[in-house]
Amino acid sequence: MTEPRPSPTTLPAWIALTEHAERLRTVELRTLFAEDPGRAERFSHEAAGIFLDYSKNRITSETLGLLVALAEQAGLRERLTAMFAGEPINETEKRAVLHVALRAPRSASILVGGDDVVPKVHEVLDRMSAFADAVRSGALVGHTGKRFRHVVNLGIGGSDLGPAMACQALRHYSDRTIDSRFVSNVDGTDLAETLRAIDPESTLFIVCSKTFTTLETLENAKSARAWLVDRLGSAEAVARHFVAVSTNAEEVKRFGIDTERMFGFWDWVGGRYSLPSAVGLSLMIAIGPARFRELLGGMHEMDEHFRTAPFDRNLPVILGLIGLWYNDFLGAESYAVLPYDQYLSRFPAYLQQLDMESNGKGVDLAGRRVTYQTGPVVWGEPGTNGQHAFFQLLHQGTKLVPCDFIGFVRSLNPLGSHHDQLMANFFAQTEALAFGKSAEEVASEGVAAELVPHRTFTGNRPSNTLLLDELTPAALGRLIALYEHKVFTQGAIWNINSFDQWGVELGKKLASRIAPELTAETEPELRHDSSTNALIRRYRAGRRRS
Ligand code: F6P
């Protein structure tokens, strides 16, 4: 472990921000805009194909200056440099954190323990490309000679959310003769409903698991294998219909998949950062290797922007600092991500793992309990659907919920006036949130006095607007990397390890202890608390009746 850093709360910029927040608490966005005609220009920036307008935030130039100073004093630059240099910044697992190497060009060189990882990355990408091309062209067929028409990814968490989100996001670019499906839940319904809809002769299963020990994935993989053998009447079919994506060759072999049919990655790729690795195989089959590489290209562009741009013109840093401002100084508990694009409907779910598994930590790098707020709750839905569900709370509720609105200038499905209507709503929502409608304005419209409070919008509700040209593979890559580095920025300032996830262990351990108790023939001696014991007994009683 390195020398413990001081708590961020002791840094001069943090102390100054605490005082500054008291002054800014009562300042209205209406006033900030009225006082400064150049505000939109001052607080917006374009880089790597993303235009970010952050002017509708409760910040001034002084706020931003202090936040940038905080990033500097907290050692963001050093930590960022250490990540890109392949240093073991995941200290609790003693690992480098190098998802940026997964999208580095062939010409790059990144050393981990003296070993250049870039050639290995491209070797796997090349193998994936050859395999994806063979599936797409029909050169590779199933046990009975049929082309693959269904690709089922069996994985969970980072081995599911990334490719599932991206396959949905880039559906426009996908081969429509190949049906991509994702089974993650150990709830048998997930697999059963998928199997019901597919033809075993033309199905390729990708068992995707970094560790290859994840209970849900192995349970699904075993059931899928049994189904395939049963339907095709031969255990030999498994070799043609199953491939593995993992870092654990031993377990892959033990499961019965030849390592020739395994696509590897490395322990320096965190699950939630693994889409650009072999974990993206299902996506590559769907959109083709060339477009997959465009996605990587977009990610690399954002990596380079993050690595080189000064903090006050660095999109991930700006987003991270603004999020931290609300989280640590203005009391926000969550933030909403609102993509105005149906293709991005799984993006909020993807960001939930990225952000909450990374920064949902309660101790700092030295193991000291933190005295400040760390990662927020992330949630969201695509617009305009969300407007008819939870936007009421955003506009008139009592909670402060900063929002990221993500939209595109051009639609991939231009249909009559749909896109202009969509985008009119997109712009209208941030305007309404920021500026609201005062009681005087409501009353002047002739609204009955008793209804005026109900129809008043306080405004002063913050948002960022991210505007991109078109949802291309490169644009998606830039967006993903933007949020990855935003999360990194915040984790660095909070002085926490954004790259481990010990918090998921306890539940897994307890489940493995409970599982045999549920199925034991004779009544087991239960040694849990009285609530858990009673619930298990009730389940056992009901299970026997079925
Ligand atoms: O339980 C959480 C987790 O470890 C995630 O971090 C990870 O993405 C997911 O499980 C799946 O893990 P694996 O890819 O090893 O199956």
Side-chain angles (χ1 to χ4, degrees), residues 510-525:
L510 292 180
S512 67
R513 180 175 149 203
I514 291 174
E517 295 172 346
L518 301 182
T519 53
E521 285 295 318
T522 52
E523 202 59 38
E525 192 190 335

Side-chain angles (χ1 to χ4, degrees), residues 156-159 209-212 214 271-272 353 357 501 504 508:
I156 196 164
S159 297
S209 173
K210 178 176 170 182
T211 54
F212 230 78
T214 304
R272 52 197 174 272
Q353 189 199 11
E357 200 167 72
Q501 57 284 320
V504 300
K508 286 187 196 174

Side-chain angles (χ1 to χ4, degrees), residues 11-21 23 66:
L11 299 172
W14 188 288
I15 294 164
L17 278 161
T18 309
E19 287 163 19
H20 179 72
R23 274 178 279 131
L66 288 171

Side-chain angles (χ1 to χ4, degrees), residues 249-313:
E250 280 313 304
E251 287 299 325
V252 168
K253 264 189 266 171
R254 198 200 303 268
F255 179 81
I257 298 176
D258 193 330
T259 43
E260 288 285 295
R261 304 268 285 181
M262 164 181 159
F263 298 88
F265 59 114
W266 306 272
D267 68 358
W268 41 262
V269 181
R272 52 197 174 272
Y273 299 88
S274 63
L275 171 66
S277 73
V279 168
L281 183 63
S282 52
L283 173 67
M284 189 190 264
I285 294 171
I287 63 171
R291 291 203 163 110
F292 189 84
R293 282 173 201 260
E294 284 169 30
L295 174 98
L296 301 185
M299 290 180 138
H300 180 65
E301 233 182 293
M302 185 54 75
D303 295 341
E304 283 304 282
H305 167 70
F306 179 54
R307 192 176 66 80
T308 58
F311 289 164
D312 60 352
R313 273 170 288 147

